[in-house]
Amino acid sequence: MRERLSTRVAAASAQRDATHRHRVIRTITQRAGVHCTVDGRTLLNFCSNDYLGLSQHPQLIAALHAASSAGGTASHLVCGHTAQHAALEAELAAWQHAPRALLFGSGYMANLAVLQSLLGAGDVCVQDKLNHASLLDGARLAGCQNRRYPHADAAGAARQLAAHPDGAALLVSDGVFSMDGDIAPLPALAEAARAHEATLYIDDAHGAGVLGDGGRGSLAAAGLTIADAPLRLITFGKALGSVGAAVVGAADVIEHLRQTARPGIYTTALPAAQAAVTRAALALVQADAGDALRANLHANITRFRLGAAQLGLPLLPSQTAIQPLLVGADADALALSQHLETRGYWAAAIRPPTVPAGSARLRITLSALHTAQHIDGLLEALTNLPRTRI
Ligand SMILES: *Cc1c(COP(=O)(O)O)cnc(C)c1O
């Protein structure tokens, strides 16, 4: 007998409720930097990816206001590719010291595009267990073998590559892990890829703009060039304060993606206005203003980590803007998040399947716009918690 979808949906909903996995969407009615108004109350935001506070920067807003079209009008290959898009691609390539860049509507689509365009049956994608969901989905879509190695284990990656000597191979890792905040062992991964004739693909969603000279990202910070790490993802929705993404790499691979990547071909281009916004962000992150914002952010990271260590809080070992406070049980993470909200702080609880079962956490993120008082206030709110909670 045919299963009714309504029955299935009801069962899934009941299951979410029973396991504290129902997610509640919050509506922001006003935002000014790290201050958000939610349900009529102003909260200090500690869970945004706007690490440099660029999303409301006057130069980005001015770029948006200067636009003469609100829409994307068509896909890039038909008639949606404007001079703003072309300039952004050229500027991204120059910034990354890479031959070329190709725009996508989002990082999620770009990851589907790269894996699906470059890999197929008989090929292998070797990737970190904690990689972003879009990379797991991309491998599934590609129809290749998908082999996951233990987190940050470059020797494990090398073993997986050695076990699949035939077919093409991509070695894929987040540069900065989105839910843990730690940085991948990039030089060792580059070495493993070289030794096994695989192509290294680094998703730098959380490194671009914040790490390395000129905000070039985790690879630049690790001293790796395009020769060591030939393919990378830059997303615009995090430190760059915009939206969209680009894959950066060798001219022939980029041209192949332009010609064949379905998530790039069968979709409307982002509006030229949005490309202009990203160009403004890119100019800022490479300027003295970017250095100043990165210095603020790193001072905030240091202050938070020192304070948290004094309180004995179970922070994960992260040196980036992502500072997860490990809780464990889903219900406890929710309770802690709600406790902080009563004190005026917003740090969302992150639960499975976004993170592995039993590792629910508060994913606290820091911004260049937080002040020392904001950080100290959050630490104060994390003091004297019932010990069972964390
Ligand atoms: C956010 C994120 C993406 C997706 O990028 P969007 O532009 O938001 O779709 C991809 N990879 C990682 C590691 C991310 O954190």
Side-chain angles (χ1 to χ4, degrees):
M1 205 173 74
R2 188 183 305 290
E3 185 182 352
R4 295 181 61 130
L5 282 180
S6 56
T7 310
R8 182 184 296 183
V9 164
S13 170
Q15 172 75 9
R16 275 195 301 276
D17 286 345
T19 54
H20 305 283
R21 294 209 178 150
H22 179 72
R23 300 186 184 201
V24 179
I25 190 145
R26 311 296 300 271
T27 302
I28 297 166
T29 46
Q30 206 177 344
R31 185 167 71 83
V34 290
H35 301 273
C36 284
T37 307
V38 180
D39 297 331
R41 286 186 64 215
T42 299
L43 301 176
L44 252 180
N45 191 349
F46 276 99
C47 52
S48 159
N49 298 320
D50 190 10
Y51 304 128
L52 299 180
L54 290 184
S55 70
Q56 291 184 315
H57 191 284
Q59 289 179 27
L60 274 69
I61 303 293
L64 202 56
H65 286 162
S68 60
S69 169
T73 76
S75 68
H76 281 274
L77 286 176
V78 176
C79 61
H81 192 69
T82 69
Q84 288 287 0
H85 297 99
L88 175 57
E89 287 183 342
E91 289 160 7
L92 285 162
W95 178 52
Q96 289 293 308
H97 301 149
R100 275 182 65 187
L102 179 65
L103 298 179
F104 286 91
S106 71
Y108 187 96
M109 294 209 290
N111 278 339
L112 297 188
V114 167
L115 298 195
Q116 193 204 22
S117 274
L118 296 177
L119 298 177
D123 299 331
V124 65
C125 178
V126 172
Q127 57 174 319
D128 192 291
K129 254 208 145 77
L130 295 189
N131 273 356
H132 192 260
S134 54
L135 293 166
L136 307 178
D137 294 355
R140 215 175 285 151
L141 195 60
C144 61
Q145 297 216 45
N146 189 34
R147 291 286 175 268
R148 297 166 75 186
Y149 57 85
H151 179 52
D153 179 2
R159 276 195 299 278
Q160 292 282 14
L161 289 169
H164 295 84
D166 303 320
L170 277 181
L171 175 52
V172 182
S173 178
D174 286 13
V176 174
F177 287 88
S178 53
M179 295 301 137
D180 286 45
D182 56 331
I183 300 171
L186 296 167
L189 290 176
E191 186 48 43
R194 189 177 312 121
H196 296 279
E197 297 177 279
T199 299
L200 183 62
Y201 176 48
I202 297 298
D203 173 342
D204 213 17
H206 298 279
V210 285
L211 295 178
D213 185 37
R216 282 179 189 80
S218 62
L219 290 160
L224 298 178
T225 67
I226 201 80
D228 308 305
L231 202 58
R232 49 188 79 162
L233 174 72
I234 303 293
T235 67
F236 310 152
K238 284 145 188 168
L240 293 178
S242 177
V243 67
V247 178
V248 178
D252 56 349
V253 174
I254 294 298
E255 186 58 28
H256 181 80
L257 293 178
R258 196 190 288 292
Q259 299 292 328
T260 64
R262 297 168 66 86
I265 295 172
Y266 299 106
T267 193
T268 303
L270 285 181
Q274 202 62 49
V277 167
T278 307
R279 291 182 69 197
L282 195 53
L284 279 166
V285 301
Q286 295 178 80
D288 291 349
D291 289 336
L293 290 169
R294 282 186 288 274
N296 276 356
L297 176 61
H298 289 115
N300 284 341
I301 294 167
T302 303
R303 189 177 189 95
F304 179 71
R305 286 194 67 81
L306 275 175
Q310 280 165 7
L311 294 176
L313 295 174
L315 279 190
L316 293 184
S318 158
Q319 300 303 319
T320 68
I322 303 164
Q323 292 291 327
L325 187 57
L326 201 57
V327 178
D330 298 4
D332 292 343
L334 274 180
L336 182 55
S337 177
Q338 279 155 9
H339 166 80
L340 287 180
E341 187 168 330
T342 63
R343 305 284 307 268
Y345 298 93
W346 189 2
I350 306 287
R351 289 162 280 162
T354 307
V355 292
S359 73
R361 65 197 66 183
L362 293 193
R363 179 179 178 271
I364 294 169
T365 56
L366 302 175
S367 161
L369 299 188
H370 287 126
T371 64
Q373 290 91 321
H374 294 156
I375 308 270
D376 294 350
L378 175 66
L379 288 165
E380 157 71 26
L382 286 166
T383 316
N384 300 324
L385 298 170
R387 293 315 296 174
T388 50
R389 225 172 237 163
I390 54 173

